[in-house]
Amino acid sequence: MKTKLYLILLFCLFTHVVQANWQRSVANYTRHEYKAANQNWMVEQHPNGWMYFANNKGILEFDGVEWNTYTIHNAKTRAVRMGNDGRMYVGGLGQFGYFVPNPLGGLDYTCLSDSIDKRIVGNIWNIHVTDDRVYFQSDRLVFYLEQNILKQVKYNGEIMCSGIIYNKFYIAADEGLSILSGDRFLPVPFTRQATRSKVVGLLPYEGKVLIVSSRHGLYTYDGKELTYYTTAADSFLSSNQLFCSAMKDSLLALGSVQDGVLLLNTQYNTVEKVSIDNGLQNKTVLSLAFDRSRNLWLGLDNGIDCIHLDSPLYFLFSRKSAIGSGYAACYFRNKLYLGTNQGLYVSDGELAPDRDLTVSRVPGTEGQVWSLAEHDNTLFCGGGNSLMAIDASGSVYPLEGVRGIWGIHAFHTRNDVLLGGSYHGLYILIKENGRWKVSHRIEGAGYSSKTMYVEEMSDAIWVANKESGLFRLTLSDDLKKVAQIKCMNSDNLPAGDNVYVSKINNEIVVSSRQGLFRYNQTKDCLEEHTQLEQQLDGKAPYTYLIQDTQSNIWYVTDGRMKLLRYDAQNKVFFKNAGESYLKDFLIEDFEHIFVYDNRQAVIGTEEGFCLLQYWRRGLSKMPLNLQVRKVYLTGKKDVLVYGRSFTYDTEPLQVSYSDNSLRLQCSVNNFDKQAPAMYSFCLSGDGEAVWSEYGMSNMKEYTDLKEGKYTFRVRALTDKYKEPVETSFQFEILPPWYRTWWAYSIYALLIGSCLYLLYFRISRHQKQLIRQKNQELVKQKQEFKKESELKDQEINTLREENLQSELRHKSEELIQSTLNIVRKNEILEVIKKEAVGINNAIKEENMVAIRRKTLRLISQIDTNIEHDDDLKAFQGTFDSIHHDFFRRLDEQFPELTSKEKMLCAYIKMNLMSKEIAPLVNLSLRGVEISRYRLRKKLRLEEKDNLTEFLQHFN
């Protein structure tokens, strides 16, 4: 008996049997992650998609990226509910109230129960919202807020549970159900049986009231009759105490104290349990709620979990693997083989997510398993310790002579041998007596072949490892040595990183961190495969790349498994926007996928394996709510200047120029950790707007922005949405004070003043120059004038001298002429006197004739005295000397006679009367008389001097 027990224990020890199943995708949030207390009593989703939880420390807010906690006067919260008025109503120990958003994106609390004794309030366990009221249910009271007036209704017993069903407010108590009518409760008959144990849920169900009791199962009440609701969940209900419940469509979620949550499909009467052994982090479920994306949120006694009911991913040991990390998978002979770092495991039966698995370790395969490959109806398991083979009958045998096998590959031109790649080189495997064995090591191929590929046409071998690089080997005909070797590394593809070689669309393709390369057989070299890169993710680091039998291309970049699908009917490749899986779950450089039945695939992860049903996509019915959550100024210290909650200010943010470096933090209500959102950013307003590549970071930072108005745009993309969602945020960088309008006004004023001053100075300088020039010109003119005057003076002097000379000459001529006239007249007077004497002396003889001749002589003398031509010459000469003296006398004194004019000329010549007398043929007395008469005609006064008047008459 002891021997049998020992053998059984030994068998169990070596086979390592594990019961498991494919588990739903569950996101776990520990209290260290949301940074609050442990117990979470109620779950609520805001219409914008954010999740709120009533936690012992306060209200938890989760926007998909960041957790926030808001306290209610340090009281433990028990209930949270979104109102129709934009308020978030909360209740807790001894108080209740509501939160409203503040300008920085947080929530501010207002207490409604300040005027009520806390002992009367008790614990607020539930909150319900109708069109016109908000109900707060405590242990014995129901408070309701209507038109901002708070009222209360007391119940005589203890209230277990409450709910709004078909617009009626129900409560459950020891006495059964009651309905609130006005300000009192009316009992619902025949419901006492359902409340024998605590009621944890009142839910609408097919026109009835579904009553969920903690220990006695489910009941329905149709208004007349109470009926026990028999379901497939009865065995679970009989052995577990329920604490909460929630329902969406035909799916009823029942949260228990001892064993997680049970999902009951009321349409098909099927159940599914999710507990600590298949995804949850705690067995005690205190609250439940379905969100609008059909995720089920669990408020646990310690932590918060989210079950993604529509996710195409199912995990084997999603929380902690009992078999190790997944490196290889294969379905062989109706058995699923799983290679891990702990060994090779096998499970019988069909590969389906709803099927329980009994996983056992294959004896002799302990340790690291690198690969699983099927050749010749044999499954080869390559590992760090050995190379094992499993034949068609299920027998397992080792292949001696080699250790540290990366993988087994077949030659395409020879079926009798296989190629094995190890840590230290290449080996040839042959088959003898129905079993494979190691034949020999290939000479000259001492390369660690982590990556290996055999060409179809030539059987040339591609081997690669991180240290040595990538090589293409050609073997000899007898497969014993390397005939030719070529290193395929280059500047574009340097050694130092792992690469993966595969066949894609009938081409040899090398995926690397430098991008994709294809083998050009004509040139015997690698060239960049830009065409395939454009179909995939562009120029990106690729660590894994295969093509399945349906021509779909599976690849890994940025730590995500992605899929380029092939439409066989239209013969085109296409990608579903945002489709990617298992971010940060894959084993870098050891990614592996096994495609099964062209509908689902097994993928190795750090925590085991994942089953992906890629034929369907769990597209969310609820739109993503993407928004710019917070804006920080990033100077010496981060300063929050803008925050957005479920209500917010739409005015553009204005930032001073000294704070022109910003960090914008976005959030999107995506709660699937296996398919996190990717973000792309664009900033318009400063040059050309260019969208960034999609990345994991939800934050974008800009530094040293110029002043101006900007529009920050962000797109978010997940695999549950066909198209990215986009939002924008506007802000303005104010100009520095020295570039503001008033500064420009001052600048304009200063510039105007400077220009004016400059103009003034230039004008003054120009005026000064003009003045100087004018002065110089005046001086020059003066000098010129002086010179001219000197010259004119000289000329005038010369002219005057000439004139004086001429005048003297003319005066001399005039004087001479006058003297001649005087002498002539004197002579004629003498002759006349003598002639008169002669005439008087002659008496009688010949008297008449002599007298006649004498008289004729005297007459001629008188005529010559008065009408001599010299008078005309005298006047002409006198006018030339004295500037038309006679003409002006004629103009001013036309009544003057010729003799009087001559008298004026003689007086102007300053001649004495005795000198004038012979010239005018008058006596001295006659001259004086003529002078007197002349004064009269010249209209002179007695005091006027005739000589001075004529001297100045010009």
Side-chain angles (χ1 to χ4, degrees):
M1 186 66 180
K2 291 183 179 180
T3 304
K4 288 184 178 179
L5 290 174
Y6 175 76
L7 290 175
I8 292 173
L9 291 173
L10 186 64
F11 176 78
C12 292
L13 178 65
F14 279 99
T15 57
H16 193 124
V17 179
V18 179
Q19 290 296 125
N21 60 357
W22 294 106
Q23 304 158 12
R24 291 186 179 273
S25 174
V26 181
N28 304 127
Y29 302 96
T30 67
R31 69 182 186 89
H32 301 289
E33 189 170 354
Y34 57 72
K35 298 178 182 178
N38 51 352
Q39 294 177 322
N40 299 281
W41 297 96
M42 192 171 180
V43 183
E44 171 76 346
Q45 186 178 35
H46 190 275
N48 69 355
W50 293 1
M51 300 303 301
Y52 291 86
F53 306 86
N55 181 268
N56 275 348
K57 192 174 181 179
I59 295 300
L60 305 183
E61 176 187 72
F62 185 42
D63 59 12
V65 176
E66 187 178 69
W67 290 89
N68 296 296
T69 304
Y70 306 102
T71 61
I72 57 170
H73 298 172
N74 296 319
K76 295 181 179 180
T77 57
R78 294 288 189 264
V80 57
R81 190 74 71 187
M82 187 64 203
N84 298 325
D85 52 3
R87 296 174 177 177
M88 183 68 69
Y89 289 95
V90 295
L93 182 60
Q95 65 173 295
F96 56 89
Y98 60 87
F99 282 99
V100 291
N102 60 36
L104 293 180
L107 298 178
D108 293 333
Y109 177 64
T110 300
C111 185
L112 294 173
S113 59
D114 283 342
S115 60
I116 306 173
D117 191 340
K118 291 184 178 182
R119 292 172 295 180
I120 298 176
V121 174
N123 271 310
I124 301 296
W125 291 104
N126 216 331
I127 300 174
H128 305 284
V129 176
T130 61
D131 292 338
D132 55 353
R133 287 184 179 183
V134 179
Y135 295 93
F136 302 89
Q137 177 239 311
S138 70
D139 298 306
R140 293 181 176 273
L141 292 170
V142 173
F143 302 90
Y144 66 88
L145 184 68
E146 185 176 19
Q147 296 181 353
N148 286 325
I149 298 174
L150 187 64
K151 299 180 180 179
Q152 65 184 41
V153 181
K154 185 178 181 181
Y155 184 73
N156 293 328
E158 183 178 354
I159 302 174
M160 300 178 183
C161 183
S162 62
I164 301 291
I165 303 173
Y166 309 123
N167 297 320
K168 295 180 180 179
F169 185 80
Y170 285 83
I171 65 168
D174 290 336
E175 295 77 15
L177 302 186
S178 297
I179 298 177
L180 180 63
S181 177
D183 288 337
R184 64 193 183 96
F185 288 101
L186 301 179
V188 177
F190 313 115
T191 58
R192 174 70 180 84
Q193 180 69 20
T195 61
R196 289 178 299 159
S197 62
K198 183 177 180 180
V199 175
V200 297
L202 295 174
L203 304 170
Y205 173 65
E206 296 181 353
K208 306 173 185 178
V209 178
L210 179 63
I211 305 169
V212 182
S213 67
S214 63
R215 293 184 179 276
H216 294 95
L218 310 177
Y219 295 86
T220 60
Y221 179 72
D222 61 2
K224 297 180 180 180
E225 185 179 1
L226 181 71
T227 304
Y228 183 80
Y229 185 24
T230 303
T231 67
D234 286 350
S235 61
F236 180 85
L237 299 177
S238 63
S239 59
N240 289 279
Q241 177 186 353
L242 299 185
F243 197 88
C244 55
S245 62
M247 193 168 190
K248 186 177 182 66
D249 300 327
S250 60
L251 188 61
L252 175 63
L254 303 171
S256 72
V257 177
Q258 295 87 5
D259 202 7
V261 62
L262 186 75
L263 302 176
L264 171 62
N265 190 316
T266 59
Q267 182 179 358
Y268 300 105
N269 196 23
T270 58
V271 294
E272 177 185 355
K273 187 182 72 172
V274 183
S275 187
I276 192 170
D277 57 350
N278 60 346
L280 300 189
Q281 55 183 322
N282 189 270
K283 287 185 177 182
T284 302
V285 181
L286 300 181
S287 56
L288 290 167
F290 289 95
D291 68 12
R292 282 176 287 279
S293 295
R294 208 169 173 269
N295 299 317
L296 178 60
W297 290 86
L298 312 179
L300 305 178
D301 184 66
N302 190 359
I304 296 172
D305 286 345
C306 179
I307 304 174
H308 304 287
L309 298 176
D310 285 342
S311 174
L313 294 171
Y314 294 84
F315 293 87
L316 198 63
F317 312 111
S318 61
R319 294 206 66 239
K320 187 173 182 182
S321 177
I323 63 174
S325 300
Y327 283 83
C330 184
Y331 201 76
F332 177 69
R333 292 291 178 178
N334 295 322
K335 293 183 179 181
L336 176 64
Y337 288 88
L338 303 171
T340 74
N341 64 320
Q342 298 180 14
L344 178 64
Y345 291 82
V346 62
S347 175
D348 293 334
E350 184 182 358
L351 185 61
D354 57 351
R355 184 180 176 276
D356 291 339
L357 301 177
T358 300
V359 180
S360 60
R361 188 164 58 205
V362 177
T365 62
E366 295 80 7
Q368 178 70 58
V369 173
W370 294 120
S371 64
L372 293 172
E374 181 184 357
H375 300 289
D376 187 40
N377 208 19
T378 301
L379 181 64
F380 293 90
C381 174
N385 297 326
S386 62
L387 174 61
M388 306 295 290
I390 304 173
D391 60 21
S393 65
S395 299
V396 181
Y397 60 93
L399 280 73
E400 304 293 343
V402 63
R403 296 172 61 86
I405 291 294
W406 291 110
I408 300 297
H409 297 264
F411 289 102
H412 299 280
T413 59
R414 299 185 60 173
N415 297 326
D416 57 336
V417 295
L418 293 175
L419 178 67
S422 73
Y423 295 171
H424 309 292
L426 302 180
Y427 291 82
I428 295 296
L429 280 63
I430 62 174
K431 192 173 185 180
E432 288 184 358
N433 300 322
R435 288 195 171 190
W436 289 90
K437 72 173 186 177
V438 177
S439 172
H440 60 273
R441 180 181 176 183
I442 301 174
E443 295 182 16
Y447 301 99
S448 175
S449 53
K450 178 185 179 299
T451 296
M452 189 163 62
Y453 176 79
V454 180
E455 293 183 15
E456 290 186 2
M457 301 298 295
S458 63
D459 276 342
I461 304 168
W462 292 73
V463 295
N465 59 71
K466 185 174 182 179
E467 291 76 19
S468 301
L470 177 62
F471 297 89
R472 183 175 183 268
L473 312 178
T474 303
L475 304 183
S476 61
D477 294 338
D478 57 5
L479 304 180
K480 290 187 177 182
K481 62 180 180 180
V482 176
Q484 185 179 0
I485 183 170
K486 181 177 182 180
C487 179
M488 304 305 294
N489 292 110
S490 63
D491 292 339
N492 293 332
L493 182 63
D497 286 313
N498 286 311
V499 299
Y500 194 88
V501 184
S502 56
K503 179 183 177 183
I504 307 294
N505 297 330
N506 296 318
E507 290 184 310
I508 297 174
V509 177
V510 177
S511 53
S512 72
R513 284 170 172 79
Q514 287 73 36
L516 300 179
F517 299 84
R518 62 181 169 187
Y519 177 56
N520 188 323
Q521 293 183 344
T522 304
K523 298 180 180 180
D524 190 25
C525 67
L526 291 175
E527 58 187 18
E528 294 183 2
H529 201 339
T530 56
Q531 180 183 359
L532 184 57
E533 287 180 342
Q534 291 174 357
Q535 289 180 300
L536 302 183
D537 282 15
K539 199 70 174 177
Y542 297 88
T543 57
Y544 183 75
L545 182 71
I546 66 164
Q547 190 167 28
D548 62 23
T549 57
Q550 299 298 311
S551 296
N552 300 312
I553 298 176
W554 300 81
Y555 63 100
V556 175
T557 180
D558 191 31
R560 299 165 176 258
M561 181 69 72
K562 299 184 180 182
L563 177 59
L564 179 66
R565 298 174 182 263
Y566 181 70
D567 184 350
Q569 183 176 358
N570 297 314
K571 296 182 179 181
V572 293
F573 288 95
F574 68 96
K575 283 199 306 182
N576 291 323
E579 184 177 13
S580 65
Y581 306 98
L582 302 169
K583 170 64 176 176
D584 296 329
F585 280 73
L586 303 174
I587 305 173
E588 186 177 6
D589 288 327
F590 291 95
E591 299 91 345
H592 174 80
I593 185 169
F594 168 69
V595 179
Y596 174 74
D597 69 11
N598 301 322
R599 293 169 61 84
Q600 49 192 354
V602 178
I603 305 172
T605 69
E606 292 180 346
E607 295 294 336
F609 293 89
C610 171
L611 179 64
L612 170 64
Q613 294 186 322
Y614 65 91
W615 59 272
R616 67 181 181 92
R617 293 184 67 200
L619 297 177
S620 177
K621 296 180 181 179
M622 180 181 178
L624 283 176
N625 176 38
L626 172 66
Q627 62 183 28
V628 178
R629 186 74 164 92
K630 294 180 180 179
V631 179
Y632 292 90
L633 302 180
T634 57
K636 296 181 180 179
K637 182 180 180 181
D638 288 354
V639 179
L640 178 65
V641 293
Y642 175 85
R644 179 177 291 190
S645 185
F646 48 80
T647 60
Y648 49 87
D649 186 8
T650 58
E651 288 295 323
L653 174 67
Q654 290 186 334
V655 179
S656 64
Y657 187 77
S658 59
D659 299 316
N660 61 349
S661 295
L662 301 160
R663 184 175 72 250
L664 298 99
Q665 179 177 318
C666 307
S667 69
V668 65
N669 56 320
N670 174 63
F671 306 113
D672 193 346
K673 288 187 175 182
Q674 282 76 39
M678 295 186 295
Y679 302 87
S680 177
F681 307 100
C682 171
L683 184 66
S684 58
D686 184 16
E688 184 180 358
V690 179
W691 284 97
S692 66
E693 294 292 333
Y694 279 98
M696 295 296 299
S697 176
N698 68 310
M699 292 183 289
K700 186 65 176 178
E701 189 165 350
Y702 297 97
T703 59
D704 297 329
L705 292 174
K706 299 178 181 178
E707 67 265 27
K709 295 182 178 180
Y710 293 87
T711 300
F712 173 75
R713 299 164 62 193
V714 56
R715 292 173 179 170
L717 188 64
T718 74
D719 66 334
K720 290 187 178 181
Y721 295 83
K722 293 182 178 180
E723 299 295 335
V725 61
E726 180 179 331
T727 190
S728 63
F729 175 76
Q730 294 180 340
F731 64 94
E732 181 181 4
I733 303 295
L734 299 176
W737 64 267
Y738 49 86
R739 283 206 289 266
T740 55
W741 65 267
W742 53 268
Y744 284 121
S745 301
I746 295 175
Y747 298 154
L749 183 61
L750 291 175
I751 291 173
S753 301
C754 292
L755 290 176
Y756 176 76
L757 182 61
L758 181 63
Y759 169 77
F760 176 76
R761 295 188 66 179
I762 292 174
S763 177
R764 186 177 66 179
H765 182 65
Q766 288 179 342
K767 287 181 180 180
Q768 186 176 359
L769 290 176
I770 291 172
R771 191 183 307 109
Q772 290 178 354
K773 294 294 183 181
N774 288 336
Q775 289 177 353
E776 292 178 359
L777 184 60
V778 169
K779 186 176 181 181
Q780 290 177 356
K781 285 183 178 180
Q782 289 176 349
E783 292 177 354
F784 177 76
K785 184 177 180 180
K786 288 181 180 179
E787 293 178 359
S788 178
E789 287 178 351
L790 289 175
K791 291 180 180 179
D792 289 343
Q793 187 175 2
E794 291 177 357
I795 293 172
N796 290 333
T797 301
L798 293 175
R799 185 179 295 168
E800 185 176 356
E801 290 178 355
N802 291 333
L803 289 175
Q804 291 294 332
S805 176
E806 184 178 354
L807 182 61
R808 284 195 300 269
H809 176 69
K810 288 184 178 292
S811 297
E812 289 176 356
E813 288 181 351
L814 182 61
I815 293 172
Q816 186 66 36
S817 175
T818 303
L819 293 176
N820 290 334
I821 292 172
V822 170
R823 284 194 298 272
K824 182 191 72 170
N825 289 341
E826 288 179 351
I827 292 171
L828 290 176
E829 286 290 336
V830 172
I831 294 173
K832 180 181 175 180
K833 289 180 179 180
E834 289 179 355
V836 170
I838 293 173
N839 184 47
N840 292 328
I842 297 175
K843 295 299 186 183
E844 290 181 0
E845 57 272 6
N846 298 329
M847 294 302 286
V848 177
I850 294 171
R851 182 175 292 179
R852 188 181 297 117
K853 289 180 181 180
T854 304
L855 291 173
R856 188 181 298 116
L857 177 61
I858 293 169
S859 177
Q860 288 178 351
I861 291 171
D862 292 335
T863 300
N864 287 330
I865 291 173
E866 296 177 357
H867 302 287
D868 198 286
D869 290 335
D870 289 337
L871 291 175
K872 292 182 179 181
F874 175 82
Q875 289 180 355
T877 302
F878 195 87
D879 278 341
S880 62
I881 294 173
H882 296 285
H883 307 293
D884 299 330
F885 177 78
F886 288 102
R887 181 180 61 77
R888 287 186 285 106
L889 281 178
D890 287 335
E891 290 176 355
Q892 295 188 25
F893 305 103
E895 66 274 11
L896 296 177
T897 63
S898 299
K899 287 185 178 182
E900 290 173 339
K901 294 177 183 178
M902 289 299 296
L903 180 60
C904 290
Y906 295 147
I907 294 172
K908 186 173 180 63
M909 290 177 64
N910 205 20
L911 295 178
M912 302 296 290
S913 295
K914 64 179 181 179
E915 293 176 340
I916 295 173
L919 294 174
V920 293
N921 197 21
L922 292 174
S923 61
L924 182 59
R925 178 66 179 170
V927 171
E928 292 297 330
I929 293 171
S930 296
R931 289 172 67 98
Y932 176 77
R933 289 174 181 172
L934 182 60
R935 287 177 59 87
K936 293 295 183 181
K937 288 186 177 183
L938 294 179
R939 296 181 291 279
L940 297 179
E941 300 292 333
E942 292 183 1
K943 61 180 180 179
D944 295 330
N945 188 288
L946 177 61
T947 302
E948 290 181 359
F949 173 78
L950 291 176
Q951 289 291 337
H952 295 89
F953 182 77
N954 290 320

